């Protein structure tokens, strides 16, 4: 999780059915367990982590974002963050965060750091203060298996839309933006950008710009794709995928 401990970019493809996944009861999109530090059962760290989780499950849903730190002594402090997608309702946000906290404790039972992503939310904790710093360590790609007929033009349009949405998100108080761009005939391209709200506006923009620059590695000529990190993410599709306000 921290620094170079988990500097791994996971690449994997999804079928259209999986990309359409919206159920937080289903498997998470991905997760990482920190390999740097562990804790023992019934330790002060575990007690602080349980307090942190309960606080974030309560604190996050009303606004879609929460940060909490618990503990006063070195090696016992834990820092956590939860973020829900900007279009998700309060009730769905609560359900997703609750599911995420349970699932990550199951998958990373004694790790002092972990992160898990669902379609609707992100949950992360660590034994060092990461608030306000861009997370370049935890990242993965997802893409649609279907390819477009004119990759060059489509790639240009995709970057154009996402770059506009990166700027829009960076000045939005929720650090979140969605939008669409007309393609040929009646077709449209839909996009989403979002950052965790512990970042500054400028760091949000930088995080998203760096993610968008990975488009050729991630999603060259693909009908849909995402670059998902611990501090920001983007997604684009040729169909609507966010909830209408």
């Amino acid at each position: 999780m921290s620094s170079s401990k988990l500097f791994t970019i996971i690449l994997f493809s999804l079928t259209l059915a999986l990309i359409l996944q919206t159920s937080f009861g289903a498997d998470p999109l991905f997760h990482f367990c920190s390999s740097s530090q562990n804790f023992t059962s019934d330790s002060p760290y575990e007690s602080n982590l349980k307090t942190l989780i309960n606080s974030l499950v309560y604190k996050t849903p009303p606004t879609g974002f929460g940060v909490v730190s618990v503990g006063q002594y070195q090696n016992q402090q834990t820092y956590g963050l939860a973020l829900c997608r900007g279009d998700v309702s309060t009730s769905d946000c609560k359900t997703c965060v609750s599911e995420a906290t349970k699932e990550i404790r199951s998958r990373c039972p004694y790790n002092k750091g972990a992160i898990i992503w669902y379609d609707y939310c992100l949950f992360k904790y660590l034994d060092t203060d990461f608030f306000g710093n861009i997370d370049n360590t935890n990242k993965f790609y997802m893409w649609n298996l279907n390819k477009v007929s004119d990759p060059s033009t489509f790639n240009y349009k995709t970057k154009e839309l996402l770059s506009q949405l990166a700027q829009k998100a960076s000045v939005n108080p929720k650090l979140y933006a969605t939008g669409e761009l007309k393609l040929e005939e009646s077709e449209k391209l839909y996009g989403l950008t979002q950052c965790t709200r512990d970042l500054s506006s400028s760091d949000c923009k930088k995080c998203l710009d760096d993610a968008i620059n990975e488009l050729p590695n991630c999603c060259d000529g693909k009908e849909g794709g995402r670059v998902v990190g611990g501090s920001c993410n983007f997604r684009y599709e040729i169909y609507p995928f966010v909830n209408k306000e």
Side-chain angles (χ1 to χ4, degrees):
M1 275 274 304
S2 59
S3 65
S4 61
K5 296 298 182 181
L6 262 177
F7 189 71
T8 306
I9 296 179
I10 303 298
L11 311 181
F12 65 100
S13 61
L14 294 186
T15 63
L16 182 60
L18 284 179
I19 284 185
L20 281 167
Q21 177 193 34
T22 57
S23 172
F24 24 72
D27 289 338
L29 301 178
F30 212 78
H31 79 281
F32 288 122
C33 303
S34 170
S35 60
S36 59
Q37 294 287 336
N38 290 331
F39 62 88
T40 57
S41 181
D42 298 323
S43 65
Y45 188 86
E46 182 175 48
S47 176
N48 289 337
L49 180 58
K50 288 179 178 178
T51 300
L52 177 141
I53 286 173
N54 290 335
S55 297
L56 282 174
V57 170
Y58 172 79
K59 184 177 181 180
T60 304
T63 63
F65 178 71
V67 290
V68 172
S69 62
V70 180
Q72 296 180 339
Y73 302 107
Q74 191 174 7
N75 298 325
Q76 298 179 9
Q77 294 172 303
T78 182
Y79 302 82
L81 174 155
L83 174 73
C84 289
R85 209 172 73 186
D87 61 315
V88 173
S89 68
T90 298
S91 61
D92 285 346
C93 179
K94 182 177 181 179
T95 301
C96 189
V97 173
S98 297
E99 178 73 16
T101 58
K102 295 174 185 175
E103 190 67 22
I104 199 63
R105 287 304 313 277
S106 173
R107 294 176 181 235
C108 310
Y110 298 112
N111 301 87
K112 281 194 170 182
I115 183 169
I116 190 167
W117 295 267
Y118 287 78
D119 247 353
Y120 278 5
C121 68
L122 151 73
F123 175 70
K124 174 183 177 180
Y125 66 88
L126 197 58
D127 60 336
T128 57
D129 185 356
F130 61 87
F131 301 153
N133 299 316
I134 298 175
D135 180 355
N136 290 314
T137 301
N138 303 292
K139 187 178 296 181
F140 66 97
Y141 301 162
M142 301 172 71
W143 61 82
N144 193 307
L145 293 177
N146 296 326
K147 296 182 179 181
V148 298
S149 57
D150 183 359
S152 179
T153 300
F154 186 81
N155 290 344
Y156 178 84
K157 291 287 189 180
T158 299
K159 186 169 185 179
E160 178 185 7
L161 173 60
L162 292 174
S163 295
Q164 292 173 359
L165 294 179
Q167 174 60 34
K168 186 178 177 181
S170 70
V171 296
N172 185 318
K174 293 176 67 174
L175 298 187
Y176 167 81
T178 61
E180 59 188 55
L181 186 67
K182 185 176 180 181
L183 300 175
E184 295 181 0
E185 299 176 354
S186 60
E187 293 184 343
K188 289 183 179 180
L189 180 67
Y190 301 86
L192 174 154
T193 55
Q194 185 170 20
C195 299
T196 57
R197 285 181 237 162
D198 59 316
L199 296 187
S200 66
S201 174
S202 59
D203 280 345
C204 175
K205 180 68 162 54
K206 182 181 187 314
C207 185
L208 287 169
D209 285 345
D210 288 346
I212 292 167
N213 286 335
E214 296 187 44
L215 271 170
N217 301 323
C218 156
C219 319
D220 184 23
K222 301 298 194 304
E223 288 185 353
R226 317 183 197 186
V227 172
V228 185
S231 292
C232 68
N233 73 92
F234 73 73
R235 180 180 179 183
Y236 74 90
E237 305 286 356
I238 59 171
Y239 57 84
F241 59 89
V242 298
N243 299 314
K244 294 183 178 180
E245 297 181 359

